Amino acid sequence: MNFKDLSLEEIVLKLKNKEIKKEEVFTYFIERIKKYDSKIQSYNFVNENWLNTIEGTLYWLPIAVKDIFCEVGVPTTCSSKILDWFKPPFNATVIENLVQAWASSLWKVTMDEFAMWSTNESSAFKKAINPWWTSRIPWGSSGWSAAAVAAWLAPAALWTDTWGSIRQPASMCNIVGFKPSYGRNSRYWVMAMASSLDCPWTLTKTVKDSAILYEIMNWYDVKENTSLPWKDIINPEIWNKKDLKWYKIWVPKEYFEEWLDEGVRNRIEEAIMKLQELWAEIKEVSLPMTKYAIATYYIIMPAEVSTNLSRYDWLRFWHVSNENYDSMDELFINNRSEWFWDEAKRRIMLWSYVLSAWFYDAYFKKATQIRTLIIDDFNKAFEEVDAIVSPVSPNVAWKSWEKIDDPVKMYLSDAYTIPASLAWLPGISVPAWFAESEDSEKEMLPVWLHIITPRLTEERLFEIAYVYEQATKFAEKMAPGFED
Ligand code: GLN
């Protein structure tokens, strides 16, 4: 049977009604991985022993898992040489939740090292390829998973979004990327990048598929003190909605500056008109603190990253990079210099500085104060409106290796996803058709609409995204070359 026209929801329903067998589904995806993975290079390795798992709500549905979620005995490396084939002694809680819902893990999809970088160059394993145009990147840090779902090498992928790592690659690959409010999900045994921002979540083909996995995975975890102490259930009535009467939706004018590519701007304006046709009330507004979001983020996030990365020294795996050392400090320096990629080192150095006793008040403390003002901006806005929409990124997918020498330009491309992450808000990216790249190639690439709602209003987010998705059906198109 060919499952390519089905969504995760439809496959699960067929499994439930015993119209198809679990072996068929698993073999189908394994066969596709064998056939196509060499083209997009997503998986580090694949689990073919799926029958060991028990049965449940997802009926053994296979799911691709980012190399950041610990699974007992399964090599989990954050795609870094410094964790060289580390086998965790515990399962991440989100993995436990999926296993209890009887999903089976297809195992490890590669990622940018420790989930940082945008151009998919920092994995210790391989570079990523966008299934829409193989000369282009699917974006960081979860491009490999977005490519896997877009090429239908998995019906869903489990990922983390710190400030865009789900929403951006989903958009570049024309699938749905969802990030819940911070705290909806446990971060227990998910390798930490920036602890006050990390949100584990999913990449799927449709909005409803994201909501199905959301209901399974959002759960209080006694082992993780930022997880929220209740479960969120989505009202199934929202799937009957056909319009957005009388939702008030804001378009912040700061998100439409001149550095937004022309093609992306046109598609987003069309998407906003579509929302209007669906009876949403559209208003242009201002979120004045937006201009400080990138600077704030690039102080808070790397400060947390450098703290989290301080635990890796390679020693506990019995490796010593260079036998010639006179002190423990020198040994750590040798190991960390040799086994971290450039960006990890850059962030460790710069942001150890912002946390140092002399500069803490000037940088880190100031950034946390501005973060509060950004949260206030959103709180004020949401007193008057129900949702905010924006582009996900100012540009379409870059060509492979295009921006490696320009980290600042790369950091700027995160401008639209950062504010929601700093304010712990839920966000989703949904396809908004294609635009021409601004380089000489003039290739047509996916563009996306970013929807943000107030903290803990995932149901509303799903409703708006679902109505828009049903009215446009843009995600139904499959990446060329992977259709059979
Ligand atoms: N592009 C971001 C970076 O460079 C990705 C962050 C994330 O959400 N993991 O670090």
Side-chain angles (χ1 to χ4, degrees):
M1 179 157 183
N2 196 337
F3 299 103
K4 87 172 174 0
D5 298 323
L6 302 181
S7 62
L8 177 149
E9 183 204 8
E10 289 159 339
I11 297 178
V12 170
L13 199 68
K14 283 191 186 300
L15 284 167
K16 187 176 171 194
N17 297 337
K18 301 206 172 2
E19 287 168 43
I20 49 174
K21 292 203 186 96
K22 57 186 187 291
E23 289 87 347
E24 257 180 275
V25 180
F26 210 91
T27 313
Y28 171 81
F29 283 106
I30 295 284
E31 289 304 316
R32 276 189 75 84
I33 293 169
K34 285 187 183 150
K35 184 166 172 194
Y36 289 121
D37 195 48
S38 55
K39 228 167 141 183
I40 53 163
Q41 312 196 95
S42 287
Y43 287 86
N44 284 348
F45 56 94
V46 177
N47 175 15
E48 297 199 37
N49 299 320
W50 59 280
L51 280 170
N52 295 336
T53 57
I54 48 168
E55 189 176 343
T57 331
L58 290 174
Y59 300 89
W60 285 291
L61 189 82
I63 289 181
V65 176
K66 181 181 186 175
D67 194 16
I68 202 169
F69 293 93
C70 292
E71 289 178 74
V72 177
V74 180
T76 308
T77 66
C78 264
S79 298
S80 174
K81 289 184 188 150
I82 209 156
L83 277 172
D84 188 34
W85 242 226
F86 164 63
K87 292 191 179 153
F90 296 103
N91 275 336
T93 299
V94 278
I95 295 286
E96 289 285 335
N97 292 349
L98 281 173
V99 168
Q100 280 177 16
W102 306 318
S104 35
S105 165
L106 274 172
W107 283 356
K108 297 295 176 198
V109 177
T110 197
M111 57 187 276
D112 278 305
E113 186 188 57
F114 288 102
M116 52 185 117
W117 204 244
S118 294
T119 56
N120 308 117
E121 292 142 306
S122 69
S123 162
F125 296 99
K126 38 196 160 180
K127 70 173 192 152
I129 295 171
N130 191 321
W132 287 92
W133 284 103
T134 46
S135 57
R136 295 194 177 251
I137 51 164
W139 218 261
S141 64
S142 48
W144 291 264
S145 289
V149 177
W152 207 227
L153 307 191
L158 183 58
W159 212 257
T160 55
D161 186 302
T162 301
W163 73 96
S165 255
I166 288 177
R167 289 162 289 162
Q168 291 181 341
S171 330
M172 306 280 179
C173 294
N174 210 42
I175 55 171
V176 174
F178 163 66
K179 165 210 170 307
S181 311
Y182 179 81
R184 278 291 196 204
N185 217 345
S186 168
R187 292 178 295 111
Y188 181 72
W189 278 87
V190 180
M191 290 181 188
M193 181 195 181
S195 310
S196 77
L197 295 145
D198 292 343
C199 287
W201 228 269
T202 53
L203 291 150
T204 54
K205 211 158 136 180
T206 69
V207 172
K208 212 167 169 188
D209 288 354
S210 284
I212 290 172
L213 296 175
Y214 171 72
E215 280 208 330
I216 291 170
M217 292 187 330
N218 86 82
W219 196 251
Y220 175 54
D221 181 4
V222 277
K223 298 186 257 46
E224 209 271 82
N225 64 5
T226 60
S227 74
L228 298 164
W230 63 84
K231 187 165 178 69
D232 190 30
I233 304 287
I234 303 295
N235 181 351
E237 297 275 297
I238 66 168
W239 310 123
N240 301 327
K241 289 291 285 279
K242 301 262 180 297
D243 59 49
L244 297 172
K245 252 181 223 160
W246 308 99
Y247 270 128
K248 290 200 186 87
I249 299 181
W250 271 20
V251 185
K253 64 172 191 273
E254 290 77 6
Y255 287 27
F256 286 83
E257 297 298 338
E258 68 288 348
W259 49 295
L260 180 62
D261 280 3
E262 195 53 33
V264 178
R265 177 190 298 270
N266 293 342
R267 291 292 95 85
I268 296 301
E269 283 172 1
E270 283 159 27
I272 291 167
M273 273 154 63
K274 188 83 210 167
L275 294 172
Q276 223 159 357
E277 272 170 36
L278 293 165
W279 294 95
E281 188 187 318
I282 305 290
K283 232 174 132 180
E284 193 184 79
V285 292
S286 170
L287 285 175
M289 297 307 289
T290 301
K291 56 178 177 294
Y292 303 115
I294 291 199
T296 308
Y297 176 77
Y298 273 94
I299 292 174
I300 291 179
M301 171 278 297
E304 294 185 14
V305 167
S306 69
T307 311
N308 281 323
L309 294 187
S310 63
R311 62 172 73 98
Y312 303 113
D313 52 29
W314 228 50
L315 270 187
R316 55 207 86 180
F317 312 114
W318 310 107
H319 297 292
V320 175
S321 291
N322 178 351
E323 303 288 342
N324 304 321
Y325 56 91
D326 295 325
S327 65
M328 285 308 280
D329 278 357
E330 202 178 326
L331 173 60
F332 289 148
I333 291 169
N334 290 350
N335 279 356
R336 285 162 69 81
S337 307
E338 186 162 350
W339 301 113
F340 276 131
W341 192 66
D342 302 1
E343 183 64 4
K345 286 187 235 173
R346 177 162 34 225
R347 292 187 194 189
I348 290 170
M349 283 191 296
L350 286 174
W351 288 282
S352 300
Y353 171 84
V354 302
L355 286 177
S356 64
W358 293 282
F359 299 104
Y360 180 90
D361 280 358
Y363 293 101
F364 190 71
K365 191 169 162 207
K366 187 65 76 213
T368 54
Q369 288 164 335
I370 293 178
R371 183 180 195 169
T372 308
L373 296 177
I374 291 172
I375 296 174
D376 285 350
D377 243 15
F378 277 111
N379 286 346
K380 268 191 229 128
F382 286 129
E383 277 169 18
E384 294 183 44
V385 294
D386 305 295
I388 287 174
V389 293
S390 75
V392 176
S393 170
N395 45 270
V396 293
W398 288 329
K399 282 185 275 178
S400 301
W401 317 108
E402 202 174 39
K403 293 289 176 296
I404 189 155
D405 293 328
D406 192 352
V408 173
K409 174 135 198 219
M410 193 189 74
Y411 297 161
L412 286 175
S413 65
D414 292 334
Y416 297 127
T417 43
I418 283 175
S421 300
L422 284 171
W424 300 307
L425 306 175
I428 196 164
S429 56
V430 280
W433 211 229
F434 292 77
E436 203 172 69
S437 63
E438 297 222 328
D439 49 47
S440 52
E441 261 44 62
K442 302 268 171 253
E443 288 161 343
M444 292 302 278
L445 288 142
V447 173
W448 42 91
L449 180 71
H450 186 208
I451 309 171
I452 309 168
T453 55
R455 186 143 193 255
L456 310 183
T457 60
E458 279 78 359
E459 184 173 292
R460 186 190 307 167
L461 184 76
F462 284 131
E463 181 179 333
I464 297 172
Y466 179 73
V467 171
Y468 170 81
E469 179 193 49
Q470 294 309 300
T472 55
K473 302 264 183 198
F474 288 152
E476 280 184 4
K477 200 162 157 23
M478 202 146 169
F482 298 88
E483 295 100 335
D484 55 317

